[in-house]
Amino acid sequence: MSLPLEGLSAVVTGAGRGLGRAEALELARLGASVVVNDYGRPGRDGSGESSTGPAEEVATEIRAAGGRAVAHTGDVADFEQARALVDLAVAEFGKLDILVNNAGILRDRMVFSMTEEEWDAVIRVHLKGHFNTTRFASAHWRQRSKAAGGPVYGRIVNTSSEAYLAGSAGQPNYAAAKGGIVGLTTSTALALAKYGVTANVICPRARTRMTEDVFAGQAAPAEGLDPLAPEHVAPLVGYLASPAAARVNGQLLVVHGGMVAVVERPRVQARFDSKQDTFTYDELDALLSPHYARRPEGETFAAAEVLALKRR
């Protein structure tokens, strides 16, 4: 019996630790050859000897289990290094089939205290990083599709956050970047569908090095799998990367702790038409003020209820 991702190749960004590592290991377990990306150079371990770095450690772990993997330590937020990442997958494995964008950083601060550098750094790594890899992967699939005269196999799994869905007061840069990633994903899904490529986005909740402060008050259980373990997220990534998910495109899914929730697209809640050629202030006041007076106080476009989702 063949594995669902056998014969396919994947790139996973930010895969040296945490979520990305779990995702890379899962894709390899399902049969994919993996380029393990994690930014940084090999350093030194506690003894002063050279260490291989987290990307190579994960690639080594995959190879030790019988899989195929190579490491890439470039910065996905750099346009040319992202190009080199996609080129590496094609050079090593003959083609690229799956792109999992996971790399990210946090620079949390209230909006009135945030520095320009803190804003730019998070937007650069998350949003530009997702665009860069998508740009070169999509060009690869488009070229292959034209050569084949029809659709090819392509899967993109992007990473947003509940911080975008629910609104996170102390993370304006992160929430903005993650919202942008949702827009990038839906646009990409429509643009690449004719080439056989799907693009979906997940909002994972997991305890990683990046989120250790976020979940500092939620201790891991003494026994059993931590509800915030990255291993809860990886199987969904494996599914979205598989042939079985061919009809799943342009979707947003929340995943954590043994639960997956499909988030419905925004819908028009109310509509008002002017009785003249265009609205006046007084007409808008007469229509909108009563409407919002009837709405719950403090309710916004943010979907804070997603934070209460958990496995039943």
Side-chain angles (χ1 to χ4, degrees):
M1 182 177 178
S2 63
L3 295 170
L5 303 185
E6 189 172 326
L8 303 177
S9 64
V11 163
V12 184
T13 72
R17 300 179 179 89
L19 270 175
R21 174 182 175 274
E23 292 163 353
L25 293 175
E26 177 69 1
L27 294 181
R29 188 187 72 80
L30 294 174
S33 302
V34 185
V35 179
V36 180
N37 163 265
D38 201 81
Y39 179 53
R41 297 176 181 175
R44 294 189 175 276
D45 60 24
S47 67
E49 296 297 321
S50 294
S51 61
T52 57
E56 182 55 43
E57 288 170 1
V58 175
T60 299
E61 187 175 353
I62 291 171
R63 292 193 295 268
R68 298 179 67 194
V70 294
H72 179 271
T73 57
D75 178 7
V76 295
D78 180 282
F79 198 66
E80 291 305 319
Q81 291 183 54
R83 184 201 302 267
L85 172 58
V86 172
D87 287 348
L88 176 62
V90 176
E92 286 288 328
F93 306 126
K95 58 185 172 59
L96 174 64
D97 302 293
I98 301 159
L99 170 63
V100 179
N101 282 310
N102 169 75
I105 61 171
L106 290 179
R107 297 290 186 271
D108 293 352
R109 193 143 350 241
M110 298 298 286
V111 69
F112 43 76
S113 303
M114 184 161 288
T115 67
E116 182 181 19
E117 186 279 330
E118 289 166 339
W119 174 270
D120 288 349
V122 169
I123 298 297
R124 176 183 181 272
V125 174
H126 287 273
L127 187 51
K128 188 181 179 188
H130 272 61
F131 160 72
N132 285 347
T133 54
T134 299
R135 158 67 176 82
F136 294 111
S138 62
H140 169 71
W141 288 319
R142 180 172 179 263
Q143 183 180 31
R144 281 175 51 199
S145 177
K146 287 190 170 185
V152 296
Y153 192 98
R155 298 285 188 270
I156 299 174
V157 182
N158 287 334
T159 306
S160 183
S161 170
E162 292 168 300
Y164 152 69
L165 286 174
S168 181
Q171 298 180 302
N173 49 1
Y174 185 68
K178 292 305 191 181
I181 286 167
V182 174
L184 172 64
T185 304
T186 54
S187 173
T188 301
L190 292 173
L192 301 186
K194 65 181 178 181
Y195 302 119
V197 178
T198 67
N200 294 287
V201 59
I202 63 171
C203 292
R205 190 187 304 177
R207 193 190 311 276
T208 67
R209 189 175 66 162
M210 190 178 85
T211 61
E212 58 187 355
D213 292 337
V214 176
F215 299 120
Q218 302 179 43
E223 297 181 0
L225 185 62
D226 183 357
L228 293 173
E231 287 74 17
H232 288 296
V233 176
L236 176 61
V237 173
Y239 167 75
L240 292 174
S242 76
R247 288 178 56 85
V248 185
N249 193 28
Q251 301 297 307
L252 189 155
L253 302 96
V254 175
V255 54
H256 57 81
M259 182 218 70
V260 172
V262 178
V263 179
E264 189 174 27
R265 70 185 188 275
R267 294 184 180 273
V268 176
Q269 192 270 331
R271 170 181 162 168
F272 304 94
D273 295 309
S274 173
K275 292 186 169 109
Q276 297 83 231
D277 287 340
T278 188
F279 277 111
T280 64
Y281 168 86
D282 289 337
E283 189 179 15
L284 287 170
D285 181 27
L287 291 170
L288 293 179
S289 295
H291 171 75
Y292 282 103
R294 294 189 294 268
R295 298 281 291 274
E297 186 175 359
E299 181 184 78
T300 72
F301 186 74
E305 62 270 19
V306 300
L307 299 179
L309 289 173
K310 61 181 180 180
R311 182 181 179 184
R312 291 192 287 263

